[in-house]
Structure formats: C-alpha cells, structure tokens
Amino acid sequence: MIAIITGDIINSQNTDSELWLPKLKNLLGSWSATPENWEVYRGDEFQLKCSVDEVFSKSLMIKSLIKTFENLDVRLAIGIGNEVFLSEKITESNGSAYVNSGRLLNDITTEGRTLAIKTENDKVNRDLNILFKWTSIDFDSWSVATAEIIHRLLINPELTQEELAKELNITQSSVSQRIKRSHFDLIQETDLFFRKKIAEL
C-alpha cells in the first residue's frame, strides 16, 4: 500500500513561478528522486509518492511552504491504495492509489475544497474527510507569517524558539505568539490521530 498526493497550485497564474517553483522542487527533491517518485507537470500541478504514515505530514509541509507566498494556496488530493504498474515516471505509473488521488483532485476542485483523502475503506474516508474539512478552515487561513513558522517546525521539529527568532529576524516573544496562533500542538495531535486511523486500513 502506498500514498499518492496529486496537487495543484491555486492562483499560480497570478504569481511568478520562479518564486515558488524552485522551492517546491527542492522540498520534493529532499524526500525522493524525480521523476520516479515525484514530478511537476503542466506548470502548476504535481504528484508525489510516499509512505502512507507520512502522507499527512508531507501534505502539511507542502501546504505551509506554498502559503509562505502571498495569495498562493494549494489543493491536495491524497490517494491510498496499491501500485500495479511502476514506470520510470510517476505520471505513467498506475494502481488504485494513483486513480484515487487523480479523480479526487477533480472532485475537490469542483467542490472548492483544498484537502481530501480517498482509500479503499469508506469508514476511514468518512472519518478523515470530516477531520480534513475542519482542519482546512484553519489551514486555508494561514497567514504568510504563520505558514513560515509551521513550515520550519514541520521540517525541523527540534528548532528552539531562539533559533527560529534568529532565522526569521524577529523576537523570541514574537515566535512564541506565532506558534500559539498557529495551533502547532493541535497540528501534531492531528498527525498522530491520522497515523492511528490510517493504520486501520
């Protein structure tokens, strides 16, 4: 069983891709090799293959990265399933994980949602998609400053507030306030819940 994230950048046509695209590619490239495990195509769409237990945290890393750019957001469709054909290019591989993810992206685009999951288990789908609808209310409203903090903490959870303050050139108290506003503890709890729920598959 594998996880596939199919995503597309919202408002990409109004932002210079030279600003966000290299950073997205760097993030995806830090996880695995292209084009077998990830690829950006048609300018603002992408696919990523990863392990099932890491797919939610990786989705949040992508989301928080893109939200560090003013007026940008990202739709993320998570498909869980099998892989029956492995190609040298992820966009040519196939299996239920790919089909679930690709079709789901079309559905959430029509529905105006930005995060959803489809597995072979209807109960898991129902439970996690209700959770995602609630969390998206928060995720979709992240400011650039909030997204910066969340992204850095997701990438490197060991960072201290002092180190973050130095990186962002702000005071330690400002870092503390941003972390509280970001509900980062709740994000971590949600990731743990996701991992337990997905283990039911």
Side-chain angles (χ1 to χ4, degrees):
M1 195 164 58
I2 62 165
I4 298 293
I5 299 172
T6 306
D8 71 329
I9 308 299
I10 300 170
N11 292 331
S12 62
Q13 68 276 13
N14 297 323
T15 306
D16 187 353
S17 63
E18 290 183 7
L19 297 175
W20 59 266
L21 185 55
K23 294 200 173 185
L24 175 61
K25 286 183 174 180
N26 284 342
L27 179 63
L28 299 176
S30 71
W31 294 330
S32 58
T34 186
E36 183 180 341
N37 294 316
W38 66 269
E39 194 169 2
V40 178
Y41 54 95
R42 291 200 295 210
D44 62 356
E45 297 183 21
F46 59 91
Q47 266 194 329
L48 168 71
K49 177 169 72 173
C50 64
S51 65
V52 173
D53 62 327
E54 291 182 326
V55 69
F56 181 65
S57 62
K58 281 185 164 46
S59 296
L60 289 183
M61 289 180 207
I62 294 169
K63 177 87 167 179
S64 57
L65 172 69
I66 297 302
K67 292 285 285 183
T68 62
F69 297 94
E70 198 74 51
N71 301 320
L72 280 189
D73 204 343
V74 60
R75 269 180 289 266
L76 298 164
I78 300 171
I80 308 289
N82 64 16
E83 182 177 58
V84 296
F85 175 70
L86 177 61
S87 172
E88 292 180 356
K89 296 180 68 176
I90 187 173
T91 50
E92 296 174 359
S93 296
N94 206 348
S96 61
Y98 296 88
V99 173
N100 287 340
S101 181
R103 289 180 179 169
L104 184 59
L105 183 65
N106 292 332
D107 292 344
I108 66 173
T109 300
T110 302
E111 295 166 7
R113 295 165 61 196
T114 59
L115 179 64
I117 188 168
K118 183 168 177 57
T119 75
E120 304 301 308
N121 185 311
D122 289 340
K123 182 180 183 302
V124 170
N125 291 342
R126 183 178 64 249
D127 293 350
L128 287 178
N129 279 309
I130 288 171
L131 176 70
F132 286 176
K133 284 179 181 179
W134 276 109
T135 56
S136 290
I137 294 171
D138 188 39
F139 300 163
D140 292 348
S141 65
W142 284 343
S143 66
V144 168
T146 298
E148 282 177 342
I149 285 283
I150 291 170
H151 186 69
R152 282 173 163 80
L153 287 173
L154 288 170
I155 294 293
N156 186 359
E158 305 304 315
L159 275 177
T160 66
Q161 290 192 12
E162 290 76 14
E163 288 168 332
L164 276 167
K166 191 173 181 181
E167 277 189 22
L168 297 170
N169 198 28
I170 57 177
T171 64
Q172 188 268 329
S173 61
S174 294
V175 168
S176 178
Q177 289 170 4
R178 289 187 191 183
I179 290 173
K180 285 179 183 174
R181 282 199 303 268
S182 75
H183 309 296
F184 191 71
D185 288 347
L186 185 55
I187 290 171
Q188 291 176 305
E189 288 181 41
T190 304
D191 184 36
L192 287 174
F193 176 82
F194 175 87
R195 290 170 190 259
K196 288 177 183 176
K197 196 72 186 173
I198 215 72
E200 296 177 13
L201 294 175

mmCIF file with all atom_site columns, all heavy atoms in Angstrom, residues 65-77:
data_model
loop_
_atom_site.group_PDB
_atom_site.id
_atom_site.type_symbol
_atom_site.label_atom_id
_atom_site.label_alt_id
_atom_site.label_comp_id
_atom_site.label_asym_id
_atom_site.label_entity_id
_atom_site.label_seq_id
_atom_site.pdbx_PDB_ins_code
_atom_site.Cartn_x
_atom_site.Cartn_y
_atom_site.Cartn_z
_atom_site.occupancy
_atom_site.B_iso_or_equiv
_atom_site.pdbx_formal_charge
_atom_site.auth_seq_id
_atom_site.auth_comp_id
_atom_site.auth_asym_id
_atom_site.auth_atom_id
_atom_site.pdbx_PDB_model_num
ATOM 1   N N   . LEU A 1 65 ? 4.578  25.453 2.918  1.00 0.00 ? 65 LEU A N   1
ATOM 2   C CA  . LEU A 1 65 ? 5.547  26.093 2.016  1.00 0.00 ? 65 LEU A CA  1
ATOM 3   C C   . LEU A 1 65 ? 4.842  27.026 1.036  1.00 0.00 ? 65 LEU A C   1
ATOM 4   O O   . LEU A 1 65 ? 5.235  28.192 0.876  1.00 0.00 ? 65 LEU A O   1
ATOM 5   C CB  . LEU A 1 65 ? 6.330  25.027 1.246  1.00 0.00 ? 65 LEU A CB  1
ATOM 6   C CG  . LEU A 1 65 ? 7.246  25.581 0.136  1.00 0.00 ? 65 LEU A CG  1
ATOM 7   C CD1 . LEU A 1 65 ? 8.412  26.365 0.735  1.00 0.00 ? 65 LEU A CD1 1
ATOM 8   C CD2 . LEU A 1 65 ? 7.747  24.470 -0.763 1.00 0.00 ? 65 LEU A CD2 1
ATOM 9   N N   . ILE A 1 66 ? 3.807  26.527 0.375  1.00 0.00 ? 66 ILE A N   1
ATOM 10  C CA  . ILE A 1 66 ? 3.108  27.329 -0.632 1.00 0.00 ? 66 ILE A CA  1
ATOM 11  C C   . ILE A 1 66 ? 2.439  28.544 0.003  1.00 0.00 ? 66 ILE A C   1
ATOM 12  O O   . ILE A 1 66 ? 2.406  29.634 -0.588 1.00 0.00 ? 66 ILE A O   1
ATOM 13  C CB  . ILE A 1 66 ? 2.078  26.470 -1.397 1.00 0.00 ? 66 ILE A CB  1
ATOM 14  C CG1 . ILE A 1 66 ? 2.785  25.344 -2.171 1.00 0.00 ? 66 ILE A CG1 1
ATOM 15  C CG2 . ILE A 1 66 ? 1.242  27.327 -2.341 1.00 0.00 ? 66 ILE A CG2 1
ATOM 16  C CD1 . ILE A 1 66 ? 3.818  25.807 -3.176 1.00 0.00 ? 66 ILE A CD1 1
ATOM 17  N N   . LYS A 1 67 ? 1.933  28.389 1.229  1.00 0.00 ? 67 LYS A N   1
ATOM 18  C CA  . LYS A 1 67 ? 1.264  29.509 1.895  1.00 0.00 ? 67 LYS A CA  1
ATOM 19  C C   . LYS A 1 67 ? 2.237  30.589 2.363  1.00 0.00 ? 67 LYS A C   1
ATOM 20  O O   . LYS A 1 67 ? 1.798  31.657 2.792  1.00 0.00 ? 67 LYS A O   1
ATOM 21  C CB  . LYS A 1 67 ? 0.446  28.996 3.091  1.00 0.00 ? 67 LYS A CB  1
ATOM 22  C CG  . LYS A 1 67 ? -0.756 28.142 2.714  1.00 0.00 ? 67 LYS A CG  1
ATOM 23  C CD  . LYS A 1 67 ? -1.916 28.936 2.160  1.00 0.00 ? 67 LYS A CD  1
ATOM 24  C CE  . LYS A 1 67 ? -2.640 29.687 3.236  1.00 0.00 ? 67 LYS A CE  1
ATOM 25  N NZ  . LYS A 1 67 ? -3.834 30.408 2.702  1.00 0.00 ? 67 LYS A NZ  1
ATOM 26  N N   . THR A 1 68 ? 3.565  30.331 2.278  1.00 0.00 ? 68 THR A N   1
ATOM 27  C CA  . THR A 1 68 ? 4.518  31.396 2.608  1.00 0.00 ? 68 THR A CA  1
ATOM 28  C C   . THR A 1 68 ? 4.603  32.426 1.482  1.00 0.00 ? 68 THR A C   1
ATOM 29  O O   . THR A 1 68 ? 5.261  33.453 1.642  1.00 0.00 ? 68 THR A O   1
ATOM 30  C CB  . THR A 1 68 ? 5.940  30.844 2.888  1.00 0.00 ? 68 THR A CB  1
ATOM 31  O OG1 . THR A 1 68 ? 6.449  30.203 1.711  1.00 0.00 ? 68 THR A OG1 1
ATOM 32  C CG2 . THR A 1 68 ? 5.943  29.870 4.049  1.00 0.00 ? 68 THR A CG2 1
ATOM 33  N N   . PHE A 1 69 ? 3.940  32.150 0.363  1.00 0.00 ? 69 PHE A N   1
ATOM 34  C CA  . PHE A 1 69 ? 3.890  33.101 -0.758 1.00 0.00 ? 69 PHE A CA  1
ATOM 35  C C   . PHE A 1 69 ? 2.521  33.769 -0.769 1.00 0.00 ? 69 PHE A C   1
ATOM 36  O O   . PHE A 1 69 ? 1.489  33.091 -0.773 1.00 0.00 ? 69 PHE A O   1
ATOM 37  C CB  . PHE A 1 69 ? 4.150  32.384 -2.090 1.00 0.00 ? 69 PHE A CB  1
ATOM 38  C CG  . PHE A 1 69 ? 5.519  31.776 -2.173 1.00 0.00 ? 69 PHE A CG  1
ATOM 39  C CD1 . PHE A 1 69 ? 5.722  30.451 -1.835 1.00 0.00 ? 69 PHE A CD1 1
ATOM 40  C CD2 . PHE A 1 69 ? 6.613  32.539 -2.571 1.00 0.00 ? 69 PHE A CD2 1
ATOM 41  C CE1 . PHE A 1 69 ? 6.986  29.884 -1.888 1.00 0.00 ? 69 PHE A CE1 1
ATOM 42  C CE2 . PHE A 1 69 ? 7.875  31.982 -2.626 1.00 0.00 ? 69 PHE A CE2 1
ATOM 43  C CZ  . PHE A 1 69 ? 8.066  30.658 -2.280 1.00 0.00 ? 69 PHE A CZ  1
ATOM 44  N N   . GLU A 1 70 ? 2.531  35.085 -0.756 1.00 0.00 ? 70 GLU A N   1
ATOM 45  C CA  . GLU A 1 70 ? 1.303  35.867 -0.696 1.00 0.00 ? 70 GLU A CA  1
ATOM 46  C C   . GLU A 1 70 ? 0.348  35.459 -1.816 1.00 0.00 ? 70 GLU A C   1
ATOM 47  O O   . GLU A 1 70 ? 0.742  35.334 -2.978 1.00 0.00 ? 70 GLU A O   1
ATOM 48  C CB  . GLU A 1 70 ? 1.644  37.357 -0.827 1.00 0.00 ? 70 GLU A CB  1
ATOM 49  C CG  . GLU A 1 70 ? 0.540  38.286 -0.367 1.00 0.00 ? 70 GLU A CG  1
ATOM 50  C CD  . GLU A 1 70 ? 0.408  38.337 1.147  1.00 0.00 ? 70 GLU A CD  1
ATOM 51  O OE1 . GLU A 1 70 ? 1.416  38.541 1.836  1.00 0.00 ? 70 GLU A OE1 1
ATOM 52  O OE2 . GLU A 1 70 ? -0.733 38.174 1.625  1.00 0.00 ? 70 GLU A OE2 1
ATOM 53  N N   . ASN A 1 71 ? -0.921 35.232 -1.448 1.00 0.00 ? 71 ASN A N   1
ATOM 54  C CA  . ASN A 1 71 ? -2.011 34.922 -2.390 1.00 0.00 ? 71 ASN A CA  1
ATOM 55  C C   . ASN A 1 71 ? -1.939 33.542 -3.035 1.00 0.00 ? 71 ASN A C   1
ATOM 56  O O   . ASN A 1 71 ? -2.736 33.241 -3.924 1.00 0.00 ? 71 ASN A O   1
ATOM 57  C CB  . ASN A 1 71 ? -2.107 35.989 -3.503 1.00 0.00 ? 71 ASN A CB  1
ATOM 58  C CG  . ASN A 1 71 ? -2.360 37.372 -2.946 1.00 0.00 ? 71 ASN A CG  1
ATOM 59  O OD1 . ASN A 1 71 ? -3.143 37.531 -2.009 1.00 0.00 ? 71 ASN A OD1 1
ATOM 60  N ND2 . ASN A 1 71 ? -1.687 38.375 -3.494 1.00 0.00 ? 71 ASN A ND2 1
ATOM 61  N N   . LEU A 1 72 ? -1.001 32.696 -2.613 1.00 0.00 ? 72 LEU A N   1
ATOM 62  C CA  . LEU A 1 72 ? -0.934 31.343 -3.152 1.00 0.00 ? 72 LEU A CA  1
ATOM 63  C C   . LEU A 1 72 ? -1.532 30.344 -2.167 1.00 0.00 ? 72 LEU A C   1
ATOM 64  O O   . LEU A 1 72 ? -1.473 30.535 -0.958 1.00 0.00 ? 72 LEU A O   1
ATOM 65  C CB  . LEU A 1 72 ? 0.504  30.918 -3.451 1.00 0.00 ? 72 LEU A CB  1
ATOM 66  C CG  . LEU A 1 72 ? 1.155  31.406 -4.738 1.00 0.00 ? 72 LEU A CG  1
ATOM 67  C CD1 . LEU A 1 72 ? 2.494  30.700 -4.947 1.00 0.00 ? 72 LEU A CD1 1
ATOM 68  C CD2 . LEU A 1 72 ? 0.269  31.201 -5.952 1.00 0.00 ? 72 LEU A CD2 1
ATOM 69  N N   . ASP A 1 73 ? -2.097 29.277 -2.712 1.00 0.00 ? 73 ASP A N   1
ATOM 70  C CA  . ASP A 1 73 ? -2.559 28.157 -1.906 1.00 0.00 ? 73 ASP A CA  1
ATOM 71  C C   . ASP A 1 73 ? -2.405 26.902 -2.761 1.00 0.00 ? 73 ASP A C   1
ATOM 72  O O   . ASP A 1 73 ? -1.977 26.971 -3.918 1.00 0.00 ? 73 ASP A O   1
ATOM 73  C CB  . ASP A 1 73 ? -4.015 28.364 -1.467 1.00 0.00 ? 73 ASP A CB  1
ATOM 74  C CG  . ASP A 1 73 ? -4.354 27.579 -0.199 1.00 0.00 ? 73 ASP A CG  1
ATOM 75  O OD1 . ASP A 1 73 ? -3.605 26.645 0.147  1.00 0.00 ? 73 ASP A OD1 1
ATOM 76  O OD2 . ASP A 1 73 ? -5.377 27.903 0.429  1.00 0.00 ? 73 ASP A OD2 1
ATOM 77  N N   . VAL A 1 74 ? -2.758 25.753 -2.202 1.00 0.00 ? 74 VAL A N   1
ATOM 78  C CA  . VAL A 1 74 ? -2.579 24.502 -2.929 1.00 0.00 ? 74 VAL A CA  1
ATOM 79  C C   . VAL A 1 74 ? -3.715 23.548 -2.590 1.00 0.00 ? 74 VAL A C   1
ATOM 80  O O   . VAL A 1 74 ? -4.172 23.489 -1.447 1.00 0.00 ? 74 VAL A O   1
ATOM 81  C CB  . VAL A 1 74 ? -1.198 23.864 -2.609 1.00 0.00 ? 74 VAL A CB  1
ATOM 82  C CG1 . VAL A 1 74 ? -1.065 23.558 -1.130 1.00 0.00 ? 74 VAL A CG1 1
ATOM 83  C CG2 . VAL A 1 74 ? -0.947 22.621 -3.452 1.00 0.00 ? 74 VAL A CG2 1
ATOM 84  N N   . ARG A 1 75 ? -4.200 22.841 -3.622 1.00 0.00 ? 75 ARG A N   1
ATOM 85  C CA  . ARG A 1 75 ? -5.153 21.747 -3.428 1.00 0.00 ? 75 ARG A CA  1
ATOM 86  C C   . ARG A 1 75 ? -4.374 20.450 -3.341 1.00 0.00 ? 75 ARG A C   1
ATOM 87  O O   . ARG A 1 75 ? -3.461 20.230 -4.143 1.00 0.00 ? 75 ARG A O   1
ATOM 88  C CB  . ARG A 1 75 ? -6.132 21.654 -4.608 1.00 0.00 ? 75 ARG A CB  1
ATOM 89  C CG  . ARG A 1 75 ? -7.402 22.445 -4.449 1.00 0.00 ? 75 ARG A CG  1
ATOM 90  C CD  . ARG A 1 75 ? -8.298 22.284 -5.651 1.00 0.00 ? 75 ARG A CD  1
ATOM 91  N NE  . ARG A 1 75 ? -7.742 22.977 -6.790 1.00 0.00 ? 75 ARG A NE  1
ATOM 92  C CZ  . ARG A 1 75 ? -8.061 24.229 -7.136 1.00 0.00 ? 75 ARG A CZ  1
ATOM 93  N NH1 . ARG A 1 75 ? -8.923 24.914 -6.409 1.00 0.00 ? 75 ARG A NH1 1
ATOM 94  N NH2 . ARG A 1 75 ? -7.496 24.796 -8.188 1.00 0.00 ? 75 ARG A NH2 1
ATOM 95  N N   . LEU A 1 76 ? -4.734 19.589 -2.386 1.00 0.00 ? 76 LEU A N   1
ATOM 96  C CA  . LEU A 1 76 ? -4.020 18.330 -2.178 1.00 0.00 ? 76 LEU A CA  1
ATOM 97  C C   . LEU A 1 76 ? -5.012 17.182 -2.077 1.00 0.00 ? 76 LEU A C   1
ATOM 98  O O   . LEU A 1 76 ? -5.860 17.163 -1.178 1.00 0.00 ? 76 LEU A O   1
ATOM 99  C CB  . LEU A 1 76 ? -3.180 18.403 -0.899 1.00 0.00 ? 76 LEU A CB  1
ATOM 100 C CG  . LEU A 1 76 ? -2.087 19.477 -0.886 1.00 0.00 ? 76 LEU A CG  1
ATOM 101 C CD1 . LEU A 1 76 ? -1.599 19.728 0.527  1.00 0.00 ? 76 LEU A CD1 1
ATOM 102 C CD2 . LEU A 1 76 ? -0.922 19.063 -1.778 1.00 0.00 ? 76 LEU A CD2 1
ATOM 103 N N   . ALA A 1 77 ? -4.895 16.236 -2.999 1.00 0.00 ? 77 ALA A N   1
ATOM 104 C CA  . ALA A 1 77 ? -5.749 15.053 -3.006 1.00 0.00 ? 77 ALA A CA  1
ATOM 105 C C   . ALA A 1 77 ? -4.882 13.839 -2.683 1.00 0.00 ? 77 ALA A C   1
ATOM 106 O O   . ALA A 1 77 ? -3.978 13.494 -3.437 1.00 0.00 ? 77 ALA A O   1
ATOM 107 C CB  . ALA A 1 77 ? -6.417 14.890 -4.363 1.00 0.00 ? 77 ALA A CB  1
#
